[in-house]
Structure formats: structure tokens, C-alpha cells
Amino acid sequence: MLYYNIIQDVDPERLLYLAIAESIFEEFFTEPIGQILLKNQRLSLITFDAK
């Protein structure tokens, strides 16, 4: 979140994405805490197949 805040201050037009493996997405973002992060739209995610 620190990096996100710095980017927003320096270059507010820049979009920041977090790249995570599909397995992490399935484990973390299906949990209630992960759902809160997605709902608040503080994170833009890109998922990838780690294989």
C-alpha cells in the first residue's frame, strides 16, 4: 500500500496492478478478507498460471 500511495502522489494517472498466481488468488481472495480488498477496489489484479 505504501508503493500505491507514492505512485498516486507522484503520477496519479498511472494504473498500478498486482500480479499474483492463480493459486494465490483462489486461496486468498475467496476468503472474507480478500473479498473486502476486492470490494474496496484498492487492488487491481492480474492473475497468471505459475506453471
Side-chain angles (χ1 to χ4, degrees):
M1 297 317 317
L2 176 63
Y3 185 69
Y4 174 84
N5 290 331
I6 292 169
I7 291 296
Q8 288 300 301
D9 191 53
V10 174
D11 188 0
E13 298 297 318
R14 183 177 296 233
L15 299 176
L16 186 63
Y17 291 86
L18 175 64
I20 60 170
E22 289 174 352
S23 60
I24 300 299
F25 180 83
E26 291 168 1
E27 290 175 26
F28 181 77
F29 288 96
T30 57
E31 297 292 325
I33 190 73
Q35 290 296 304
I36 290 170
L37 290 172
L38 292 175
K39 184 177 103 178
N40 292 338
Q41 299 177 353
R42 294 279 315 231
L43 293 174
S44 296
L45 301 177
I46 297 174
T47 61
F48 62 91
D49 183 355
K51 294 178 185 179

